[in-house]
Amino acid sequence: MSLYSPPEIIKIAGDAAITKDKYSAKKILTLSFMAGAYISFGGLLSILIAGGMPEISAKNPGITKFVFGAAFPVGLMMVVMAGAELFTGNNAYFMPNVLSRKQTWKAPLRNWGLVYFGNFIGSVFVAYFLTHLTEVVSHEPWLDMVFKIAEDKTSNPFYKTFLKGIGANWLVCLALWMGMSAQHTTGKIMGIWWPVMAFVTMGFEHSIANMFFIPLAIFQGADITWPSFVIDNLIPATLGNIVGGAFFVGTLYWYAYEKK
């Protein structure tokens, strides 16, 4: 068969978690910097393609949302196939082992903390040095999309961003699960593309992507403060992402296929 079964995916994820726990802090920070950058590249590509379609957006915004979502998954593809450490994906990887007592909570908490920090540095690096300073989105119609994305993401109440965070990482971790199920490159690409395209098109909140989108808008001069970014979006999105990945994927699949 060209697909691993669900129980086999649990084992693959568990083996990956054990390997990740053996990484040094320097290695984790390096790989997580790369992942933050890769996700940001996907975000930038989405802005440049969908943001250049203002007339289509005015007449049929659904098409623009789909195009935005369709371009974004390239970031996660690079994370998975080139190799990098992504906070949101790691929310799910460790749960089967922790719940089966093959690893303690120290393993995911150490990994999540280091990876989250590294993802932030990588995302802001791309936002400032490769996007803001190069003026890639400094002109219309792209600047308008940059501002609108950030303003929309910081204008929701806590519970909405939290719930959207659950939806985002439920789908991101399903993308990783489906990617692990495939034994060939084409299958991995397709397994990753569909769920990621779906969460972005539906407007859910991915904390690492937002580490690119909102700081970019701030650098470009949007009327958004750093405290607003953290309080109004990053905290609720992150908490929602943890629930979406750790519970709705890592825990539920452990319960279904591994719990004795």
Side-chain angles (χ1 to χ4, degrees), residues 144-161:
D144 180 66
M145 172 167 274
V146 169
F147 285 178
K148 188 176 187 306
I149 290 171
E151 289 164 359
D152 288 347
K153 288 180 175 296
T154 54
S155 62
N156 289 316
F158 187 102
Y159 82 94
K160 282 188 179 181
T161 303

Side-chain angles (χ1 to χ4, degrees), residues 179-201:
M180 283 188 288
S181 76
Q183 298 179 25
H184 305 289
T185 301
T186 302
K188 288 184 180 296
I189 290 172
M190 294 304 295
I192 292 168
W193 187 83
W194 284 100
V196 176
M197 176 278 294
F199 105 74
V200 177
T201 301

Side-chain angles (χ1 to χ4, degrees), residues 19 45-46 60 117-118 127-128 173 183 187-188 200 214 223 244 260:
T19 299
L45 179 64
S46 295
N60 194 332
F117 177 74
Y128 185 74
C173 290
Q183 298 179 25
K188 288 184 180 296
V200 177
I214 302 175
D223 188 21
K260 304 301 183 183

Side-chain angles (χ1 to χ4, degrees), residues 4-253:
Y4 291 110
S5 67
E8 288 174 322
I9 297 172
I10 293 288
K11 184 179 185 307
I12 293 169
D15 290 345
I18 291 172
T19 299
K20 291 173 185 291
D21 189 40
K22 295 178 181 178
Y23 291 165
S24 67
K26 289 181 180 179
K27 183 171 184 176
I28 292 174
L29 289 172
T30 300
L31 291 172
S32 57
F33 171 87
M34 294 160 63
Y38 297 164
I39 295 300
S40 299
F41 289 145
L44 178 57
L45 179 64
S46 295
I47 290 172
L48 291 174
I49 297 175
M53 305 166 58
E55 294 181 359
I56 294 176
S57 181
K59 295 179 180 179
N60 194 332
I63 291 178
T64 308
K65 287 184 177 182
F66 172 74
V67 170
F68 192 97
F72 187 85
V74 66
L76 190 60
M77 292 175 192
M78 289 188 286
V79 168
V80 171
M81 285 177 274
E85 288 290 301
L86 184 65
F87 169 77
T88 46
N90 288 359
N91 290 159
Y93 277 111
F94 284 87
M95 294 312 297
N97 282 358
V98 170
L99 294 170
S100 295
R101 298 182 180 179
K102 297 175 183 177
Q103 289 178 290
T104 68
W105 275 102
K106 179 183 177 180
L109 293 178
R110 170 182 177 267
N111 179 273
W112 293 354
L114 290 170
V115 172
Y116 192 81
F117 177 74
N119 288 168
F120 180 82
I121 300 301
S123 299
V124 172
F125 176 86
V126 173
Y128 185 74
F129 290 101
L130 303 187
T131 309
H132 172 63
L133 292 185
T134 61
E135 300 185 344
V136 175
V137 296
S138 295
H139 307 287
E140 299 300 348
W142 297 282
L143 185 60
D144 180 66
M145 172 167 274
V146 169
F147 285 178
K148 188 176 187 306
I149 290 171
E151 289 164 359
D152 288 347
K153 288 180 175 296
T154 54
S155 62
N156 289 316
F158 187 102
Y159 82 94
K160 282 188 179 181
T161 303
F162 174 76
L163 292 175
K164 287 184 176 183
I166 292 176
N169 209 29
W170 192 344
L171 287 165
V172 167
C173 290
L174 281 177
L176 293 169
W177 241 239
M178 291 168 65
M180 283 188 288
S181 76
Q183 298 179 25
H184 305 289
T185 301
T186 302
K188 288 184 180 296
I189 290 172
M190 294 304 295
I192 292 168
W193 187 83
W194 284 100
V196 176
M197 176 278 294
F199 105 74
V200 177
T201 301
M202 289 187 283
F204 289 154
E205 297 287 344
H206 187 262
S207 58
I208 310 307
N210 292 350
M211 291 175 182
F212 168 75
F213 288 127
I214 302 175
L216 173 60
I218 294 173
F219 296 144
Q220 293 294 130
D223 188 21
I224 298 171
T225 65
W226 287 96
S228 175
F229 160 49
V230 173
I231 296 170
D232 296 330
N233 182 273
L234 193 58
I235 291 175
T238 300
L239 294 175
N241 288 168
I242 293 172
V243 174
F247 178 74
F248 283 98
V249 178
T251 297
L252 292 186
Y253 275 106

